[in-house]
Every structure is written in C-alpha cells, then in structure tokens.
Amino acid sequence: MAVDREAIEQGYTRAMVRLAVAYNTGKGVTKNVSQFAAWARRAADFGNPKGAYLMGYAHAMGRGVPQDRSEAVKWYRHSAENGYHKAQYHLAVAYNTGRGVQKNAAQFAEWAHKAALQGNVKAQYLMGFAYLRGHGVAQNAPESVKWYRRSAENGYHKGQYFLALALEQGRGVKADRDEAYIWAYLADKGGNKLAGTLMSRVAKIMSSDEIARAKQIQGVPHSALEAQPPTRSIQRDLRRLGFNARRADGLIGPARGLGIKAYQRGWRLAEN
C-alpha cells in the first residue's frame, strides 16, 4: 500500500479509489468503512467518477457515513453524468423504485439505456423490462427481446430467464422451445430461482426428439473440452471479437453455439 499512499500524496485520484476499495473489502489493509468513505470522498472531490459512485454506494448502504438515499442519488448523479456505467445503472434503479428520488419512468429508461450501451448487463436487462412493459419507452416486444438477448449473451441470469420466457411464449420473437430450454438451463445454472420451473414447463410441451436434442446441446461437460484445443480457440476468438461465448464447453456446448449465433447475428449471417 506504500506505493498507493505515495501516489495519493501526488494527487492521483485513481490511487484514492483503489485505497477506498481496499478499505471496503479488507484486501491489503484492515477493513475500515470510515476510511473507505473518507478516501472515496477525496477521490470524488477531485472529480473522479468512480469515487463519486463509491460515495453513492456508501450513502445507500450506510458504510462509513449515515445512510441517506437522497445523498446517494446525488453522488450517483455526479458519477453518472461523467459517464460511469455503474452509477448510471444505480440512478436508473433509484428512479424506478423511488428510493432517494421521486419515481420517474422516463428518467429510469434514459439512464438504463446509457448504462446498457456501455455493456452493463443489468442495465441491458432493465431495458428489456422497460420495452416489455412500456415503462419510460413505447412498448415494443421485439426490442425487449433484443435487450434481454444482449444481457443473456453477456451471462446475466435474469436476462437469460426472460429471454427463455419470450422464446417459450413467442412474445417478440418466433417461439423456439429448443432455445428456450437452453437459456432456461443456463439461467438455472446461474442461480435463477425461477428457471428450473420454466425448464420443466417447456419440457412438458416438447417432443421426445426435441428434449433429446436440447439435452445433447447442453449436456457436454466443461471438462470435455480439455482435449479439444480447436474449440477453446474458437470460443476465445469469439470473445476477442466481442461476442460472449463464455467458458469453453465442448464441440456442441450451449455457450459455443450461442456465441456463434451472436456472431452470425452481428454480421447479419444466416444462423445455423
């Protein structure tokens, strides 16, 4: 931590943020929430957007400062206006829930959209919700599916669950029970508590051939790829190109297949 302290003496705000995070997590120093808030405030006062975000978090959670939702929103706004996606997401949530600020659906959608465009997976999920319900934006089921898919492909279990639901029901997208089953499976593996029920419901209306095909797609264990370096290479290259193929999972693994489909959609190629 000596290097960080020397940098702090020179006024480097990124070092202040690192020290604040260290005091909050206890990594490298003894956990101290008062010091966390103090260093986050110094970074924020110097105009660092991550420092301002941390001050929003501190006031929202009452860590090192009194809990104050309105004060949290103030700091989130400072950070969000300077482009930090996590603050934009939390500001959107505040406008949706009314915690610390009056509810405002239009502001909710605006800030969620800003964060989503920066790749924030939770914000992408919120945009799916916004278009599904017409909350702050005009209701648009296909647009909802687009944002759920972005969130899902980036690994967020709620995006995966709601994409599976849309595919099951054919809402905003052509119904596809195979793909619905796969996304529900991935959501379930990601800890989504509703996905298991959805998997069971989809399975009840699938033919035996459809179930067998879906199980074949999702059934290759992660360890199966250890002897398949070409497949690892494909998924690594897809990730480098910005298409989230996640961890290598076999020649017919769901992550590999969905990564390839994302690539094909991105380049407007036929999906296969």
Side-chain angles (χ1 to χ4, degrees):
M1 299 307 296
V3 174
D4 273 331
R5 288 187 181 279
E6 181 180 353
I8 289 165
E9 292 298 324
Q10 298 173 24
Y12 291 153
T13 61
R14 283 184 294 180
M16 296 177 186
V17 168
R18 287 198 298 272
L19 189 53
V21 171
Y23 276 121
N24 189 46
T25 61
K27 292 183 178 179
V29 296
T30 301
K31 187 180 290 189
N32 186 318
V33 294
S34 295
Q35 286 295 307
F36 155 67
W39 285 110
R41 178 61 187 260
R42 292 187 189 188
D45 285 344
F46 273 100
N48 186 291
K50 290 185 179 179
Y53 162 74
L54 290 177
M55 282 305 298
Y57 167 78
H59 281 287
M61 305 302 293
R63 291 187 67 78
V65 292
Q67 189 175 39
D68 186 330
R69 297 285 185 181
S70 297
E71 192 71 8
V73 168
K74 184 189 81 172
W75 285 108
Y76 283 147
R77 188 183 306 281
H78 280 317
S79 179
E81 289 175 347
N82 282 288
Y84 191 46
H85 68 92
K86 288 186 178 180
Q88 292 169 341
Y89 164 76
H90 281 281
L91 189 55
V93 171
Y95 275 118
N96 191 44
T97 61
R99 291 181 179 177
V101 68
Q102 187 174 352
K103 285 185 178 183
N104 187 313
Q107 285 291 299
F108 154 72
E110 179 180 339
W111 287 110
H113 188 243
K114 288 178 186 292
L117 289 176
Q118 293 196 68
N120 187 295
V121 298
K122 293 183 178 180
Q124 290 169 344
Y125 158 74
L126 289 183
M127 287 307 299
F129 163 79
Y131 279 108
L132 177 65
R133 299 293 181 87
H135 191 62
V137 292
Q139 192 171 32
N140 186 324
E143 191 71 10
S144 171
V145 170
K146 182 188 84 173
W147 285 107
Y148 281 144
R149 188 178 292 280
R150 286 192 187 183
S151 179
E153 289 174 349
N154 282 307
Y156 189 44
H157 69 88
K158 288 187 178 180
Q160 292 167 343
Y161 170 76
F162 278 95
L163 178 57
L165 200 61
L167 287 161
E168 178 208 15
Q169 299 172 352
R171 186 182 59 232
V173 65
K174 183 180 178 181
D176 186 327
R177 291 180 297 217
D178 285 10
E179 192 178 359
Y181 190 90
I182 292 167
W183 282 115
Y185 168 81
L186 292 172
D188 183 61
K189 290 297 183 182
N192 190 286
K193 295 179 180 179
L194 300 174
T197 301
L198 176 57
M199 283 176 64
S200 299
R201 188 169 70 240
V202 172
K204 287 179 181 178
I205 59 174
M206 292 172 75
S207 69
S208 58
D209 288 343
E210 287 174 328
I211 293 173
R213 184 166 59 248
K215 286 184 175 180
Q216 182 186 38
I217 291 171
Q218 61 159 309
V220 178
H222 293 302
S223 59
L225 197 73
E226 294 306 313
Q228 299 169 5
T231 305
R232 282 204 303 274
S233 176
I234 289 171
Q235 290 184 258
R236 184 185 62 241
D237 290 342
L238 284 168
R239 288 194 297 271
R240 286 176 176 173
L241 290 168
F243 300 95
N244 193 335
R246 294 184 290 281
R247 181 179 174 182
D249 62 351
L251 291 173
I252 55 171
R256 177 179 182 268
L258 294 169
I260 291 171
K261 282 188 175 183
Y263 173 84
Q264 290 169 326
R265 280 195 301 274
W267 290 98
R268 297 182 180 179
L269 304 172
E271 292 183 30
N272 54 55

